[in-house]
């Protein structure tokens, strides 16, 4: 039987993960008077943003028994969102002029994001709720409640009972790898972007990067500084695509790889052939909940986690089980290539995939919703109604011929989704400047992918953001 929310307003809640989502969840849960324990297998808060030069022993991370390194952050990483719109709503991500070690840039480095999350945790005394170096190994229903089995760094297992569990374990750690025909006999090296940190190992090499999302675009540019040639393969590009990209003299964009051969060559669908040393798979990640046992109710099928009402609550297990942070945002922009600054036949269309999600902002809103539902201040529809909503959502996805793996992709609906959750909890909708900054960010990323972090044309939106922060006395 599904665990049900108890009638008391204050519940004992387990949060799994002390990344940006888990920290937001813990703060909102405590604001609603719940008692919270955050389980964190790492040694500090920040999750993905805790950079480590360490990588996994298996460069493609295919071995299920490998030692997992959580972070996928590379050394040169700077945010892909302007800082004003990236932060939590009531704790703006503004430069810290009182500390010379901090990065004041509008698109700062990953170190600045970690410092911001540490500031957030300190400001709201969140660390006192965290059990560090404690991994959740099993979550399962126990009567009307949940049993959590955890394992501490000294190998001791512990079972505890909670009223509710909020899953915030991140989804950028379990790599997805592209299938390339002939790859088994190809003699070169392959790695996944999860295990990419610095460009130096690629010195003087010919490198093929598969994938043209944020990481693929960043990493290929990072490598061009030391490599002999970098070739980006993207399955979204038309088969004739073959373009030299602006901003460097050794970076080419292709269609997808046709095959790899045992003589070391890579053949693209455009007919071009390169002798490559390494393939870097920038092909994304899988949702992965190895600890979750719901007797088969929640499944991950082709990266669709379900069934979930509005990507958060599994209808039959709501509201005591919830997920924060699953949706992601990719916007597709098609460009006539010459307008992208690349010489080409005039009718050549390039599809760009731009990944800019208001993640922290979404974590905060989803967390407010979960906390308020658990305390009984906000109610959910019945389990049947939620399931009807999920079924209708899947039907729409299928009618639009979207693959299952895009179930949690918000696409053009990001602001509508956020506004809908905001309405549930009585929060204001997404601010005009925030939505516009994301929109302008797409355009800049598409038209000046090599300079978008340092050149912009939306100072008026920065001004609007800061006026907003000042008006609310947030800075
Ligand atoms: P994470 O940060 O991954 O945190 C999950 C936490 O859960 C970790 O601390 C982990 O140790 C812990 N954990 C996992 N499993 C267990 C377990 N079983 N038991 C106990 N603890 C566990 N977003 C932006 O807003 N702006 C950006 O510029 C941006 N750039 C990105 C660049 C890259 C390369 C990637 C991969 C993502 C980027 N993102 C960006 C998205 C990013 O994922 C989110 O910003 C956010 O940090 C994710 O937070 P999270 O808490 O969901 O997950």
């Amino acid at each position: 039987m599904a665990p049900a929310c108890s009638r008391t307003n204050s519940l004992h809640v387990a949060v799994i993960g002390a990344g940006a989502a888990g920290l937001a969840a813990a703060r909102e849960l405590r604001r609603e008077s719940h008692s919270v324990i955050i389980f964190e297998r790492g040694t500090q808060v920040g999750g993905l943003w805790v950079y480590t030069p360490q990588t996994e022993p298996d460069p493609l991370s295919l071995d299920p028994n490998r030692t997992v390194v959580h972070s996928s952050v590379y050394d040169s990483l700077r945010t892909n969102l302007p800082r004003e719109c990236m932060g939590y709503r009531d704790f703006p991500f503004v430069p810290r002029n009182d500390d010379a070690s901090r990065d004041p840039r509008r698109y700062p480095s990953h170190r600045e994001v970690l410092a911001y999350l540490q500031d957030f945790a300190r400001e709201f005394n969140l660390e006192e709720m965290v059990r560090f170096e404690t991994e959740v190994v099993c979550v399962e229903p126990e009567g009307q409640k949940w049993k959590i089995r955890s394992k501490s760094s000294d190998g001791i297992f512990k079972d505890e009972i909670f009223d509710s569990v909020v899953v915030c374990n991140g989804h950028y750690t379990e790599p997805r790898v592209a299938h390339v025909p002939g790859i088994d006999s190809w003699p070169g090296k392959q790695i996944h972007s999860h295990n990419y940190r610095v460009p130096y190992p690629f010195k003087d090499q010919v490198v093929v990067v598969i994938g043209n999302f944020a990481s693929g675009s960043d990493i290929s540019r990072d490598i061009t500084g030391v490599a002999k040639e970098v070739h980006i393969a993207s399955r979204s590009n038309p088969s004739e695509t073959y373009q030299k990209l602006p901003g460097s003299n050794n970076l080419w964009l292709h269609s997808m790889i046709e095959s790899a051969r045992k003589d070391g060559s890579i053949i693209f669908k455009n007919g071009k052939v390169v002798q490559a040393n390494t393939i870097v798979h920038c092909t994304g990640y899988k949702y992965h909940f190895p600890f979750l046992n719901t007797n088969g109710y929640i499944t991950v099928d082709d990266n669709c986690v379900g069934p979930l009402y509005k990507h958060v609550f599994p209808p039959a297990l709501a509201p005591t089980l919830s997920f924060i942070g699953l949706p992601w945002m990719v916007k597709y922009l098609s460009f006539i290539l010459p307008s992208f600054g690349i010489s080409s036949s005039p009718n050549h269309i390039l599809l760009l995939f731009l990944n800019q999600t208001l993640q922290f902002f979404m974590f905060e809103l989803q967390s407010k919703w979960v906390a308020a539902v658990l305390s009984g201040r906000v109610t959910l529809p019945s389990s049947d109604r939620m399931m009807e909503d999920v079924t209708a959502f899947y039907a729409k996805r299928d009618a639009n011929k979207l693959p299952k793996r895009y179930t949690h992709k918000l696409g053009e609906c990001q602001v509508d989704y956020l506004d809908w959750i905001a309405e549930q909890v009585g929060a204001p909708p997404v601010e005009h400047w925030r939505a516009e900054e994301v929109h302008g960010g797409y355009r800049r990323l598409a038209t000046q992918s090599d300079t978008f972090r340092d050149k912009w044309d939306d100072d008026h939106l920065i001004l609007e953001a800061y006026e907003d922060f000042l008006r609310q006395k947030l800075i």
Side-chain angles (χ1 to χ4, degrees):
M1 192 166 105
C5 184
S6 97
R7 285 280 158 208
T8 51
N9 279 340
S10 172
L11 303 186
H12 187 42
V13 186
V15 171
I16 304 175
L23 293 173
R27 186 187 66 160
E28 298 306 330
L29 287 160
R30 195 163 62 180
R31 278 178 165 170
E32 286 275 342
S33 301
H34 302 297
S35 75
V36 181
I37 290 183
I38 311 178
F39 290 89
E40 170 52 58
R41 67 182 172 190
T43 57
Q44 55 174 305
V45 301
L48 173 107
W49 298 98
V50 180
Y51 172 80
T52 170
Q54 199 191 336
T55 56
E56 295 179 3
D58 165 11
L60 282 179
S61 301
L62 295 175
D63 179 359
N65 300 316
R66 70 193 191 277
T67 306
V68 172
V69 172
H70 185 79
S71 183
S72 300
V73 160
Y74 31 94
D75 193 40
S76 65
L77 182 80
R78 289 172 65 189
T79 65
N80 52 31
L81 279 179
R83 62 190 306 153
E84 314 83 59
C85 69
M86 184 170 154
Y88 301 110
R89 177 179 252 157
D90 65 0
F91 190 73
F93 187 16
V94 292
R96 285 280 303 267
N97 299 326
D98 55 338
D99 182 349
S101 71
R102 298 288 289 264
D103 179 352
R105 290 176 295 178
R106 192 179 185 206
Y107 290 80
S109 82
H110 57 85
R111 291 175 185 84
E112 176 71 6
V113 183
L114 177 62
Y116 165 74
L117 290 172
Q118 290 166 339
D119 287 346
F120 179 73
R122 201 173 304 116
E123 175 74 16
F124 297 98
N125 294 319
L126 302 177
E127 285 208 3
E128 64 190 25
M129 292 185 269
V130 187
R131 268 195 222 156
F132 289 109
E133 297 186 77
T134 308
E135 179 174 7
V136 170
V137 292
C138 186
V139 173
E140 58 189 17
E142 172 96 1
Q144 301 293 301
K145 298 184 185 249
W146 292 91
K147 184 170 84 181
I148 287 204
R149 170 164 289 192
S150 62
K151 184 183 169 200
S152 60
S153 55
D154 44 16
I156 294 173
F157 290 89
K158 190 172 177 184
D159 289 346
E160 288 162 278
I161 301 296
F162 289 84
D163 298 313
S164 171
V165 178
V166 184
V167 180
C168 305
N169 67 325
H171 50 92
Y172 293 101
T173 296
E174 195 65 23
R176 236 187 11 227
V177 172
H179 173 67
V180 176
I183 198 71
D184 290 343
S185 51
W186 184 72
K189 189 180 170 198
Q190 297 182 70
I191 75 163
H192 189 277
S193 55
H194 176 57
N195 294 307
Y196 175 84
R197 295 293 181 270
V198 289
Y200 317 113
F202 304 92
K203 191 168 170 357
D204 300 329
Q205 290 195 4
V206 175
V207 180
V208 172
V209 173
I210 305 181
N212 202 14
F213 281 80
S215 295
S217 166
D218 267 1
I219 290 174
S220 51
R221 290 203 181 272
D222 211 19
I223 294 175
T224 53
V226 299
K228 189 172 160 204
E229 294 171 13
V230 180
H231 299 266
I232 304 175
S234 171
R235 69 175 169 191
S236 329
N237 290 338
S239 57
E240 68 276 18
T241 305
Y242 177 60
Q243 302 294 331
K244 193 163 193 186
L245 291 177
S248 50
N249 60 9
N250 58 350
L251 179 60
W252 285 267
L253 183 68
H254 297 258
S255 45
M256 191 43 189
I257 297 173
E258 174 83 47
S259 62
R261 293 196 183 143
K262 60 179 175 216
D263 63 0
S265 58
I266 298 286
I267 296 101
F268 296 91
K269 285 193 190 292
N270 59 15
K272 300 289 172 194
V273 180
V274 298
Q275 287 291 325
N277 305 96
T278 303
I279 294 176
V280 184
H281 293 253
C282 298
T283 39
Y285 295 86
K286 298 181 209 163
Y287 295 102
H288 192 50
F289 310 101
F291 47 78
L292 196 57
N293 176 9
T294 56
N295 295 319
Y297 180 69
I298 296 175
T299 59
V300 183
D301 177 13
D302 190 19
N303 238 16
C304 163
V305 186
L308 288 182
Y309 176 61
K310 308 293 182 197
H311 310 281
V312 174
F313 289 108
L317 303 174
T320 58
L321 182 67
S322 56
F323 294 77
I324 304 293
L326 298 197
W328 49 285
M329 165 78 187
V330 160
K331 184 159 173 153
Y332 303 84
L333 290 184
S334 56
F335 281 83
I336 306 290
L337 282 174
S339 70
F340 188 55
I342 307 162
S343 63
S344 160
S345 68
N347 295 326
H348 200 152
I349 303 287
L350 174 68
L351 270 179
L352 284 181
F353 296 86
L354 310 174
N355 187 358
Q356 293 199 315
T357 322
L358 291 168
Q359 292 266 309
F360 292 17
F361 187 83
M362 178 183 78
F363 299 160
E364 194 179 11
L365 280 176
Q366 288 180 328
S367 299
K368 282 182 191 296
W369 189 31
V370 168
V373 168
L374 288 176
S375 69
R377 201 167 54 78
V378 169
T379 47
L380 290 175
S382 69
S383 170
D384 287 349
R385 292 296 295 272
M386 286 193 278
M387 200 57 220
E388 280 169 23
D389 186 274
V390 175
T391 308
F393 179 68
Y394 287 173
K396 195 170 163 196
R397 175 199 68 194
D398 296 344
N400 288 333
K401 300 205 170 0
L402 282 174
K404 274 187 186 165
R405 65 178 183 277
Y406 285 169
T407 301
H408 305 291
K409 178 179 82 64
L410 295 177
E412 304 291 333
C413 306
Q414 169 166 233
V415 171
D416 291 346
Y417 175 76
L418 295 170
D419 284 350
W420 186 89
I421 298 194
E423 199 184 330
Q424 305 309 299
V425 295
V430 178
E431 304 90 332
H432 165 265
W433 57 265
R434 199 182 297 264
E436 285 300 304
E437 281 199 352
V438 174
H439 190 67
Y442 289 134
R443 190 177 30 77
R444 281 200 306 280
L445 187 71
T447 53
Q448 40 171 104
S449 64
D450 48 342
T451 57
F452 79 96
R453 292 183 173 94
D454 297 305
K455 289 186 185 156
W456 54 80
D457 53 6
D458 58 355
D459 280 336
H460 61 291
L461 295 176
I462 306 181
L463 193 65
E464 213 179 298
Y466 276 79
E467 281 170 0
D468 206 2
F469 299 154
L470 281 168
R471 196 171 38 247
Q472 297 181 66
K473 300 190 171 50
L474 296 173
I475 52 173

